[in-house]
Amino acid sequence: MKPYLPSVFLLFLIVYLGVQALTGQRGLLSGAERDALLTKREAQLAHLTEQRRDLEVRVRYLRTESLSKDLLEERARAVLGFADPRDYVVRVNAPAASASAQASIS
């Protein structure tokens, strides 16, 4: 059995590497999964790129050399909760979704 031991070891190694070449993470049969993952990641990248562009525009308008009064006022209202005395504030007790659902039931 001793002379066959290296041959058996090499056979198992070849079989193992062959199985991994077909079904492994980067194998021949997992191409569709990689393509689906690539498509998903490209969509995430596009979304994050769009968010970054939006944030860069907002930051550009909040710099002192090109300060946008409208954007500054919008951020102050959102963060501090202030409103202009000339604004009309309409308070709604029930959320719009539940109010429309109750109107459709009646």
Side-chain angles (χ1 to χ4, degrees):
M1 181 98 175
K2 199 171 193 182
Y4 298 115
L5 191 60
S7 299
V8 170
F9 176 73
L10 285 176
L11 177 68
F12 281 131
L13 182 65
I14 290 171
V15 168
Y16 173 77
L17 292 175
V19 168
Q20 287 299 315
L22 289 175
T23 62
Q25 183 180 4
R26 301 188 188 275
L28 297 172
L29 299 178
S30 64
E33 293 174 15
R34 285 193 312 264
D35 291 341
L37 182 61
L38 177 64
T39 304
K40 179 181 172 186
R41 298 279 166 85
E42 285 175 345
Q44 286 177 344
L45 177 63
H47 178 69
L48 290 173
T49 304
E50 183 63 32
Q51 279 184 337
R52 181 184 174 118
R53 281 191 206 127
D54 182 48
L55 289 174
E56 285 175 350
V57 168
R58 287 176 173 260
V59 166
R60 188 174 345 127
Y61 286 137
L62 287 175
R63 290 192 181 131
T64 55
E65 59 268 1
S66 62
L67 188 62
S68 171
K69 285 186 176 183
D70 292 334
L71 186 60
L72 182 63
E73 185 178 339
E74 174 190 339
R75 292 306 307 153
R77 287 181 187 194
V79 173
L80 301 175
F82 290 148
D84 191 340
R86 296 170 294 187
D87 286 346
Y88 291 104
V89 178
V90 178
R91 296 182 187 227
V92 179
N93 292 335
S98 65
S100 64
Q102 290 177 357
S104 65
I105 293 173
S106 299

